[in-house]
Amino acid sequence: MFDDEIAASVGYLGSAEALACLEASSYWPKWDSPWWHMLLLHEMGETRRIPERTMRAFVDAMKATPFTIFMDGPGELPKGADPYFTACHCQLGNVYRVLDGFGVDVDAELPWVGPWFVANQMADGGMNCDESAYAVTDECPSSMVGTIAAFEAMALKSAEGLSEEAASFLDRAAGFMVGRRLTMGSETRHNAAEREAAASWMLPCFPRFYHYDVIRGLTALSLWAERRGVSVPREAIGPVVEAVDRAFPDGVVRIGRRCWEGVGTIMQTGDGSWDYRRREAPGFPLLEAVSAVGAASPYLTREWAGTRRRMLGVLG
């Protein structure tokens, strides 16, 4: 399935054009730069189809990230630094997962990424990619979207291989997700927009990139519980499992939204500079093919089958 579109993405990733794009940015533009092809292939279980030299170029591009701390305080961004080219939590969580899936030793190649997550965890166990959230002192405006990818990345480690700091990060992040029952947006003023976004979380999306839906949350939480040998509160999470079962009684998960659609991007100009006026992000054939709303998704269906089985085993 999607053989031609996969081949087209793999071919693009092996091209001189893709390597030149990675040299300019490991992230921009959305949604058709090499990073987005790589992340989609990973979500499809096709990580190993990424060309070796492209993965190496991507690792090198990430090593060139100009700042390896989150710029979350006034005056932290050095003079002349471009905020569009600093990293964020959801980006790094996904980077960690893709590199790990390819067989890269992420902790050796990018040793600052794991500590980044620990350093930027908020008081309630969540995170937020909006740096201004960290300046708020009278509430905790954490974000499910800002937390999920980092949680997934840290949960890749075996329980025996976790440092005390990493284990604490995971347990606190899991507590945050359980507290939100995987379905609730932030109750804060600063992150009020998440309450509106939460209305769509029961609608599965594929690919997710850095976006969130409840199946993604259930998958991450069930993997954490299984690897840590702990249970998940049935009263908090059981109703979410039941809701997904009701939505897909035959077990076939159908795509409910295209979370990536309508998101703008900055673009590089012919002279190599960047145009910061947001414009429509074009996408690419594989992205279009696997994200049709209403279509049965073999990837989400496979994920949900494993997640449901795992979750029923860890509900306490």
Side-chain angles (χ1 to χ4, degrees):
M1 187 176 289
F2 310 118
D3 290 346
D4 290 346
E5 292 87 353
I6 290 172
S9 279
V10 171
Y12 164 67
L13 287 173
S15 69
E17 178 188 357
L19 295 176
C21 190
L22 279 175
E23 190 172 348
S25 172
S26 61
Y27 183 91
W28 299 104
K30 297 172 179 175
W31 302 103
D32 65 341
S33 70
W35 165 236
W36 304 107
H37 288 258
M38 294 165 67
L39 182 52
L40 175 51
L41 287 170
H42 176 73
E43 291 194 55
M44 295 172 70
E46 301 285 355
T47 320
R48 293 288 184 169
R49 298 283 294 273
I50 299 169
E52 176 81 37
R53 70 170 185 162
T54 307
M55 182 60 76
R56 187 66 253 169
F58 181 74
V59 172
D60 291 342
M62 288 303 303
K63 284 184 174 182
T65 299
F67 308 106
T68 57
I69 59 171
F70 189 51
M71 304 300 173
D72 61 357
E76 279 202 13
L77 197 64
K79 185 177 180 180
D82 191 334
Y84 280 96
F85 293 88
T86 59
C88 69
H89 316 325
C90 54
Q91 176 199 8
L92 292 177
N94 285 319
V95 165
Y96 198 109
R97 292 167 54 233
V98 173
L99 297 189
D100 181 81
F102 192 82
V104 174
D105 184 342
V106 189
D107 293 331
E109 295 276 9
L110 302 171
W112 51 275
V113 173
W116 173 297
F117 300 142
V118 173
N120 292 291
Q121 191 169 37
M122 303 181 87
D124 65 353
M127 304 176 77
N128 197 319
C129 288
D130 171 12
E131 65 277 4
S132 67
Y134 288 83
V136 176
T137 57
D138 62 341
E139 57 182 5
C140 188
S142 51
S143 159
M144 193 71 81
V145 170
T147 306
I148 185 65
F151 180 74
E152 291 168 333
M154 294 292 272
L156 289 170
K157 301 173 184 290
S158 66
E160 296 76 20
L162 285 173
S163 66
E164 185 176 340
E165 293 80 7
S168 174
F169 171 89
L170 280 170
D171 293 347
R172 292 178 60 218
F176 158 76
M177 295 169 67
V178 169
R180 291 279 196 91
R181 297 176 182 259
L182 299 180
T183 60
M184 297 162 55
S186 174
E187 295 182 351
T188 63
R189 297 183 307 278
H190 186 88
N191 195 17
E194 191 182 55
R195 289 195 292 279
E196 298 179 17
S200 68
W201 290 350
M202 281 300 299
L203 298 174
C205 48
F206 190 88
R208 296 182 179 111
F209 291 146
Y210 52 73
H211 300 281
Y212 176 80
D213 62 33
V214 295
I215 295 178
R216 184 174 188 173
L218 285 165
T219 298
L221 196 61
S222 64
L223 285 169
W224 163 81
E226 186 176 75
R227 289 168 182 165
R228 295 284 280 156
V230 298
S231 60
V232 173
R234 183 177 296 272
E235 66 276 10
I237 304 304
V240 187
V241 177
E242 294 167 5
V244 178
D245 273 341
R246 287 194 299 272
F248 307 104
D250 59 357
V252 177
V253 179
R254 297 184 177 276
I255 294 173
R257 60 191 164 111
R258 298 173 113 184
C259 57
W260 53 270
E261 203 165 46
V263 178
T265 185
I266 66 173
M267 302 286 286
Q268 196 169 26
T269 64
D271 64 4
S273 62
W274 290 88
D275 181 350
Y276 295 100
R277 293 172 297 175
R278 291 284 182 144
R279 58 189 67 190
E280 185 177 355
F284 52 96
L286 182 59
L287 176 58
E288 294 285 346
V290 300
S291 62
V293 173
S297 171
Y299 312 105
L300 293 178
T301 298
R302 181 177 61 204
E303 178 186 339
W304 175 235
T307 293
R308 186 181 187 280
R309 182 171 57 252
R310 207 166 40 242
M311 184 55 78
L312 293 176
V314 299
L315 285 173

